[in-house]
Amino acid sequence: MAVDRLYSLLERLGNLLRTEERAAGLRHGLQPVHLQALRYLQSCNRYSNTPAALTEYLGLTKGTVSQTLLLLEEKGLLRKEADTEDRRVVHLHLTDAGRTVLKEAIPPALFKQALAGLPGGGEALEEALTGLLRGVQAANAQRSFGACSTCKHFRREGPGRFRCGMTQEPLSREDSVLLCREHEAVPPGH
Amino acid sequence: MAVDRLYSLLERLGNLLRTEERAAGLRHGLQPVHLQALRYLQSCNRYSNTPAALTEYLGLTKGTVSQTLLLLEEKGLLRKEADTEDRRVVHLHLTDAGRTVLKEAIPPALFKQALAGLPGGGEALEEALTGLLRGVQAANAQRSFGACSTCKHFRREGPGRFRCGMTQEPLSREDSVLLCREHEAVPPGH
DNA sequence: CGCATTTAGTATCGAGTCGATACTAATTCG
DNA sequence: CGAATTAGTATCGACTCGATACTAAATGCG
């Protein structure tokens, strides 16, 4: 049955990818999940750099993520900052050391190589996976973490000038490509 | 960059899948890797039901897999059998209890649901993922674990009668769909 | 043949993940 | 104002995983 084959494929690719990542993080003393957390923090926007958002992104429990963050903070790869509005909330920022580690440890060389042999540079694959992820998230009542500019709250106000229709805050061109926790896809037919 | 997005997608899907699997195995006291091992043993052929083959399939070290197998044996989900030819080799067989657990714990309900919403039933996705896996394996000097009937050593001898050109053993129709450790893809253009 | 090498597998150890449970503090809701 | 919710932390135990070291069987090479 096709579903079972697909399941196996994704599972195996996930395993191999994690094994790769384990090796990549080894000389920094980092586990796969640590690199994943750092990468998320690198690519999320200022509404989404919190433990809660990361928890949902990774699909783990908040206790588990709290531990992970503790370790990354001890290693000096990230820094915590209290929110000024809501004093329960903590914002996570990569330190220079964190960014350096990411640059060194992330390039999935083996993976890039495999991708190069794919027809069309993997465009079709990306599209299909995006759809699948969306489906899994919908079935799981999870957030999508899409890029800001693809959100239904995204407003264009001029060349390089944007605004979030939800928070009313202005957004730069750089902001617009970051992942947002509050992201909601534009409904089909727009 | 497209490679980075693809990497993230696969990583996230892998995470969510593992979280699902963790929940599924919970009431049997099984971890994701245990279910993966059982599933492999269910779908591999008689040349490939060994610790070494499983080790390569999962991409772990042989020590780690040895431990996993010990646990599964203690739980009565599989049974070890010495090879009669090569006395170093052990063959792994699912017990009835093992098969029962698989039937109960595997159905990735959430996943099937997500897949149903995919255009074309995921045919395109399966093809693309297969290609990617092949690429990763090639880059890693790993075996492919394809179905027997798609191997270059597979010989048709009549309706429902086949033979492995490597071991010269006859193969049944059931054999021909199982995963083989010695699998080698038919070179393109055949 | 006979000794080195390779291969299959196991044993043991320590670092670390992860979920579960229980907790605090701040916010929101009625 | 008080109850419920939300963000986050602390602690614990079961378990994974790689590293290292080991045994036993098979193979290869002089």
Side-chain angles (χ1 to χ4, degrees), chain A residues 10 14 17 21 36 39-40 43 53-59 129-130 132-134 136-137 140 142-147 179-181 183, chain B residues 4-20 111:
Chain A
L10 281 169
L17 204 128
E21 217 160 37
Q36 290 176 30
R39 285 202 300 124
Y40 171 75
S43 56
L54 179 60
T55 294
E56 206 160 2
Y57 183 84
L58 294 176
L129 285 180
T130 304
L132 181 58
L133 179 59
R134 216 194 307 281
V136 173
Q137 285 166 335
N140 228 347
Q142 266 178 346
R143 300 170 189 279
S144 62
F145 290 95
L179 305 185
C180 184
R181 186 189 183 185
H183 181 272
Chain B
D4 293 339
R5 279 203 304 277
L6 259 169
Y7 192 81
S8 285
L9 278 168
L10 280 170
E11 196 178 55
R12 294 193 66 196
L13 276 168
N15 282 348
L16 297 177
L17 205 130
R18 213 163 66 257
T19 301
E20 272 284 292
F111 200 76

Side-chain angles (χ1 to χ4, degrees), chain B residues 90-121:
Chain B
V90 166
H91 290 276
L92 307 164
H93 300 277
L94 289 184
T95 60
D96 289 345
R99 265 182 284 270
T100 305
V101 162
L102 263 184
K103 252 182 230 135
E104 284 181 22
I106 273 303
L110 182 153
F111 200 76
K112 275 189 172 159
Q113 199 176 328
L115 211 73
L118 233 57

Side-chain angles (χ1 to χ4, degrees), chain A:
Chain A
M1 195 194 289
V3 175
D4 293 339
R5 279 203 304 275
L6 259 168
Y7 192 81
S8 286
L9 279 168
L10 281 169
E11 196 178 54
R12 294 193 65 196
L13 277 168
N15 281 349
L16 298 178
L17 204 128
R18 214 162 65 257
T19 301
E20 273 283 291
E21 217 160 37
R22 197 179 292 278
L26 196 65
R27 71 199 136 149
H28 300 281
L30 296 176
Q31 301 286 325
V33 73
H34 299 152
L35 291 174
Q36 290 176 30
L38 293 179
R39 285 202 300 124
Y40 171 75
L41 291 177
Q42 188 178 43
S43 56
C44 73
N45 69 14
R46 57 182 176 272
Y47 311 131
S48 313
N49 59 356
T50 68
L54 179 60
T55 294
E56 206 160 2
Y57 183 84
L58 294 176
L60 302 174
T61 63
K62 60 181 181 176
T64 298
V65 171
S66 180
Q67 267 182 311
T68 298
L69 293 173
L70 208 60
L71 188 147
L72 290 174
E73 194 185 12
E74 273 168 17
K75 282 190 183 281
L77 304 181
L78 61 80
R79 165 174 62 79
K80 291 179 182 174
E81 195 172 317
D83 189 295
T84 49
E85 307 270 308
D86 186 336
R87 305 218 316 267
R88 295 170 306 180
V89 174
V90 166
H91 289 276
L92 307 164
H93 300 277
L94 289 184
T95 61
D96 288 345
R99 265 182 283 270
T100 304
V101 163
L102 263 184
K103 251 182 232 137
E104 283 181 21
I106 273 303
L110 182 154
F111 201 73
K112 276 190 171 155
Q113 199 176 330
L115 212 72
L118 234 56
E123 294 296 332
L125 180 56
E126 182 179 336
E127 197 174 331
L129 285 180
T130 304
L132 181 58
L133 179 59
R134 216 194 307 281
V136 173
Q137 285 166 335
N140 228 347
Q142 266 178 346
R143 300 170 189 279
S144 62
F145 290 95
C148 181
S149 63
T150 67
C151 177
K152 78 173 186 188
H153 298 118
F154 187 73
R155 301 274 144 77
R156 246 162 255 278
E157 302 206 320
R161 291 179 46 241
F162 314 103
R163 189 175 294 274
C164 174
M166 193 176 178
T167 65
Q168 296 302 331
E169 282 190 69
L171 300 166
S172 70
R173 195 185 294 277
E174 292 74 40
D175 288 334
S176 71
V177 300
L178 296 177
L179 305 185
C180 184
R181 186 189 183 185
E182 309 292 346
H183 181 272
E184 283 182 61
V186 177
H190 272 252

Side-chain angles (χ1 to χ4, degrees), chain B:
Chain B
M1 194 195 290
V3 175
D4 293 339
R5 279 203 304 277
L6 259 169
Y7 192 81
S8 285
L9 278 168
L10 280 170
E11 196 178 55
R12 294 193 66 196
L13 276 168
N15 282 348
L16 297 177
L17 205 130
R18 213 163 66 257
T19 301
E20 272 284 292
E21 217 159 39
R22 196 179 290 277
L26 197 65
R27 71 198 135 150
H28 300 281
L30 296 176
Q31 301 285 325
V33 73
H34 299 152
L35 291 173
Q36 291 177 28
L38 293 178
R39 285 202 302 125
Y40 171 75
L41 292 177
Q42 188 179 43
S43 55
C44 74
N45 69 13
R46 57 182 176 271
Y47 310 132
S48 314
N49 57 357
T50 68
L54 180 59
T55 294
E56 206 160 3
Y57 183 84
L58 294 176
L60 302 175
T61 63
K62 60 182 182 176
T64 297
V65 170
S66 181
Q67 268 183 309
T68 298
L69 293 173
L70 210 61
L71 188 147
L72 290 174
E73 194 185 13
E74 273 169 16
K75 282 190 183 280
L77 303 181
L78 61 80
R79 168 174 59 81
K80 291 180 182 173
E81 195 172 317
D83 189 294
T84 50
E85 306 271 307
D86 186 335
R87 304 221 314 268
R88 295 170 305 179
V89 174
V90 166
H91 290 276
L92 307 164
H93 300 277
L94 289 184
T95 60
D96 289 345
R99 265 182 284 270
T100 305
V101 162
L102 263 184
K103 252 182 230 135
E104 284 181 22
I106 273 303
L110 182 153
F111 200 76
K112 275 189 172 159
Q113 199 176 328
L115 211 73
L118 233 57
E123 294 295 331
L125 179 56
E126 182 178 336
E127 198 173 330
L129 285 179
T130 305
L132 180 58
L133 179 59
R134 214 193 309 279
V136 173
Q137 284 166 337
N140 227 346
Q142 266 178 346
R143 298 170 191 278
S144 63
F145 290 95
C148 182
S149 63
T150 66
C151 177
K152 78 173 186 187
H153 297 118
F154 188 72
R155 301 275 145 78
R156 246 162 255 278
E157 302 206 321
R161 291 178 47 240
F162 314 103
R163 189 175 294 274
C164 173
M166 192 176 178
T167 65
Q168 295 302 330
E169 282 191 68
L171 299 166
S172 70
R173 195 187 293 280
E174 292 75 41
D175 287 334
S176 71
V177 300
L178 297 178
L179 305 186
C180 184
R181 186 188 184 186
E182 308 293 345
H183 182 274
E184 284 181 59
V186 177
H190 271 251

